[in-house]
Amino acid sequence: MNPLRSLALASILLCSLATLAAPAPKEKFHLYLLVGQSNMAGRAPVEQQDKTPDPRVFALDQNGQWVPAVEPLHFDKPKIAGVGPGLAFGKAMAEADANVTIGLIPCAVGGSPLASWQPKAVDEATGTTPYDTAIARARLAMKDGTLEGILWHQGESDSTEKLAPKYGNNLEQTLGRLRDELGNPRACIVVGELGKFFRDKNPWAERVNTEIRYFGRRFDRTASVSADGLVDKGDQTHFDGPSVRELGRRYAAAMLKMGALPAPQIVRVWPDGLPDGKPLDKPEDEHFAHVSHVSDPTLSVYLPPRDKANGTAVVICPGGGYSILAIEKEGDCVARWLNDLGVAGIVLKSRLKDYKQPSPVLDAQQAIRLVRENASAWGIDPNRVGIMGFSAGGHLAAATSNAEPIALEAASYRKYNAIDCRPNFSILIYGVVPQAGDKWVKEMYTAIAITPRTPPAFLVTTKDDPIPSHLSVDYAAAMTRLNLPAEVHVYDKGGHGYGLGQSGGPVATWPEACANWLKARGFVR
């Protein structure tokens, strides 16, 4: 087509569609929130290709109206606004699915540190309220469409000696809160790495970038995108045009991959009512990917692809001090990792201290029984069912590995007494696993007695963990004295609550060590 005619048609399209309030039916209008600082807002020069709209990509403008998306999308600093990754992302998403229309919600603010992205916080440089404004604009957009994901690029302003060490945990809180307030705690999140050109000039940027690179280990349906090979526009801070468009396409590829992940099958542990108590008066609560006040335990069943499945299953017990469950970081994310190994990951949402012991152990024992009962349907070998736990979940996994079966008396559950409730192996990650006489034995953290029937164990701990590493070391030593197979990995640093290794470093290699252990014992090919 003649280039002049193309420009004329684009101009007509822009004018004719600018007044549309809702460009598509709500369920077909997929919304994406664009948040962060200047590299998300865009500072690359605008070229003609950036002014050409796609008929199925729209943006929420400064006045809250849907308009065909063209660069610059953002309006945080109009005098220097340029090309960011948003439009290239939107076009790639539209190209991937001809049945949907894409709605972009630009909210990035150049130069904004993470502290500006908190409720009621004012960004000093611009006098704006980035977080509150993003919430308000997203809610306005969600009247017309469905929020599918969040794109984040930020971190340059936090690349300092004071802020960089806290970046990962603070970003987790920020994006977790953002998802919760928008009413979609399972929205996909994609975060972008900082450019190497910026990391080269700032010694603390690499620390921030490491947190970004491993951020996908903190939430389910979350990923990071690499900035490898991307270059700056000459200022060692902002991506140039070709690089930022490529970054947008990388965001789209990651978002599509996250969106395609299958949802788990949910199975109630006690469908006919609790065998040892009544439901709580208070409702179950979930925020920041943490669950509390559980009185209807469930299993989230993540099955690996059939061509990968090897017949092994692991019941996963998230931690949280028996007060909450870190259900995504130490549950769903772990199940996805196990799926990559061909292992079925089954996340147990168990009861907590509202019920005292042994109710959580009873939930875990029943989880093992249910897996074995459904072994044929789920493609699982009933003799290859393990249990895994983190922190307090590590205690639950260890207790379940060593406890005698708790008899079920109710008629509807009595049949399960005939099914073995002891796992074939255990994986205990920074677990609270005290034995008799240890000061860590408390009301919920009951003493664990190693016996000749204790299944093989893989344990991970760190020397700087507030939960003392000797608990894991002593557990493994007690097994060794009985000639039982146990392998314990003690890392120098890592602290506590690091899940799959969310901040990188040596402790982030434990999943690989665990996979090797599973292979050596024949549970993984």
Side-chain angles (χ1 to χ4, degrees), residues 33-259:
L33 185 61
L34 313 181
V35 280
Q37 57 181 113
S38 57
N39 269 311
M40 178 59 73
R43 295 296 184 256
V46 178
E47 299 178 20
Q48 188 57 54
Q49 61 181 302
D50 308 308
K51 300 178 182 179
T52 305
D54 183 294
R56 289 189 294 113
V57 181
F58 292 80
L60 192 71
D61 72 6
Q62 191 169 9
N63 300 313
Q65 299 294 316
W66 290 112
V67 298
V70 294
E71 293 286 10
L73 288 175
H74 284 80
F75 35 81
D76 58 317
K77 296 180 178 180
K79 292 184 179 180
I80 57 174
V83 178
L87 182 58
F89 165 83
K91 289 181 175 180
M93 295 298 290
E95 183 179 359
D97 188 348
N99 296 312
V100 301
T101 297
I102 305 301
L104 305 174
I105 312 168
C107 295
V109 177
S112 56
L114 196 52
S116 294
W117 288 92
Q118 309 306 314
K120 299 181 180 179
V122 177
D123 180 58
E124 293 183 2
T126 61
T128 60
T129 54
Y131 182 88
D132 294 339
T133 299
I135 291 289
R137 282 175 53 76
R139 286 175 175 165
L140 176 64
M142 289 164 65
K143 293 179 180 179
D144 297 325
T146 304
L147 182 67
E148 294 289 332
I150 298 170
L151 277 65
W152 176 268
H153 196 287
Q154 190 270 349
E156 292 90 348
S157 292
D158 289 81
S159 296
T160 68
E161 182 178 5
K162 178 181 178 181
L163 298 177
K166 306 174 184 177
Y167 187 79
N169 289 337
N170 288 341
L171 183 60
E172 179 181 331
Q173 290 290 315
T174 299
L175 295 183
R177 180 187 295 112
L178 191 62
R179 289 193 316 177
D180 288 353
E181 283 206 45
L182 293 177
N184 188 353
R186 300 290 175 165
C188 298
I189 299 174
V190 181
V191 298
E193 291 186 14
L194 305 181
K196 185 177 184 300
F197 46 82
F198 184 79
R199 289 159 19 219
D200 286 343
K201 77 171 185 177
N202 185 320
W204 288 101
E206 195 60 53
R207 175 64 183 271
V208 169
N209 201 62
T210 297
E211 296 288 354
I212 293 170
R213 182 180 300 125
Y214 287 94
F215 194 77
R217 300 186 180 190
R218 293 177 180 265
F219 292 132
D220 187 30
R221 291 161 61 87
T222 299
S224 62
V225 293
S226 170
D228 289 353
L230 305 184
V231 300
D232 66 302
K233 67 173 189 175
D235 61 0
Q236 285 191 286
T237 300
H238 301 105
F239 297 106
D240 70 1
S243 293
V244 81
R245 295 184 198 99
E246 170 59 21
L247 184 63
R249 290 187 287 270
R250 293 180 185 182
Y251 271 105
M255 187 67 72
L256 289 166
K257 184 177 179 180
M258 292 300 101

Side-chain angles (χ1 to χ4, degrees), residues 184-442:
N184 188 353
R186 300 290 175 165
C188 298
I189 299 174
V190 181
V191 298
E193 291 186 14
L194 305 181
K196 185 177 184 300
F197 46 82
F198 184 79
R199 289 159 19 219
D200 286 343
K201 77 171 185 177
N202 185 320
W204 288 101
E206 195 60 53
R207 175 64 183 271
V208 169
N209 201 62
T210 297
E211 296 288 354
I212 293 170
R213 182 180 300 125
Y214 287 94
F215 194 77
R217 300 186 180 190
R218 293 177 180 265
F219 292 132
D220 187 30
R221 291 161 61 87
T222 299
S224 62
V225 293
S226 170
D228 289 353
L230 305 184
V231 300
D232 66 302
K233 67 173 189 175
D235 61 0
Q236 285 191 286
T237 300
H238 301 105
F239 297 106
D240 70 1
S243 293
V244 81
R245 295 184 198 99
E246 170 59 21
L247 184 63
R249 290 187 287 270
R250 293 180 185 182
Y251 271 105
M255 187 67 72
L256 289 166
K257 184 177 179 180
M258 292 300 101
L261 290 173
Q265 176 184 349
I266 306 299
V267 176
R268 294 179 67 198
V269 174
W270 307 111
D272 295 323
L274 295 172
D276 61 338
K278 297 179 179 179
L280 299 173
D281 293 332
K282 60 189 76 173
E284 184 176 300
D285 181 40
E286 179 173 358
H287 63 282
F288 296 157
H290 294 161
V291 176
S292 59
H293 307 313
V294 177
S295 59
D296 186 10
T298 62
L299 301 179
S300 294
V301 182
Y302 291 85
L303 299 179
R306 290 187 179 182
D307 61 344
K308 264 189 177 181
N310 53 40
T312 299
V314 175
V315 172
I316 305 162
C317 305
Y322 281 113
S323 295
I324 61 167
L325 297 173
I327 201 73
E328 289 191 46
K329 182 193 303 181
E330 297 172 353
D332 303 317
C333 292
V334 179
R336 304 277 191 197
W337 166 69
L338 287 169
N339 283 178
D340 288 340
L341 299 177
V343 175
I346 299 168
V347 182
L348 171 62
K349 185 171 69 176
S350 60
R351 285 174 289 171
L352 300 164
K353 65 181 181 181
D354 302 290
Y355 284 90
K356 311 301 181 186
Q357 293 287 16
S359 290
V361 173
L362 182 58
D363 293 344
Q365 289 187 342
Q366 185 66 358
I368 298 290
R369 290 166 169 147
L370 287 169
V371 172
R372 290 189 168 124
E373 180 188 43
N374 289 280
S376 178
W378 294 346
I380 292 167
D381 182 341
N383 296 312
R384 299 169 69 184
V385 179
I387 194 166
M388 181 179 193
F390 297 77
S391 191
H395 175 268
L396 179 56
T400 305
S401 297
N402 291 279
E404 292 300 316
I406 301 172
L408 298 170
E409 303 297 338
S412 59
Y413 298 135
R414 208 170 293 153
K415 65 178 181 178
Y416 291 105
N417 291 322
I419 302 176
D420 186 10
C421 62
R422 191 184 295 264
N424 299 109
F425 61 90
S426 65
I427 301 170
L428 311 175
I429 311 301
Y430 46 87
V432 186
V433 288
Q435 298 175 65
D438 194 283
K439 68 178 183 179
W440 276 88
V441 174
K442 300 174 183 177

Side-chain angles (χ1 to χ4, degrees), residues 425-430 455-461 472-480 484-491 509-521:
F425 61 90
S426 65
I427 301 170
L428 311 175
I429 311 301
Y430 46 87
F458 176 90
L459 303 97
V460 170
T461 184
S472 296
V473 173
D474 292 349
Y475 187 101
M479 292 184 65
T480 300
L484 300 172
E487 182 171 310
V488 59
H489 290 249
V490 182
Y491 295 87
T509 64
W510 80 253
E512 181 181 358
C514 183
N516 290 334
W517 181 82
L518 289 168
K519 290 175 183 176
R521 302 210 61 80

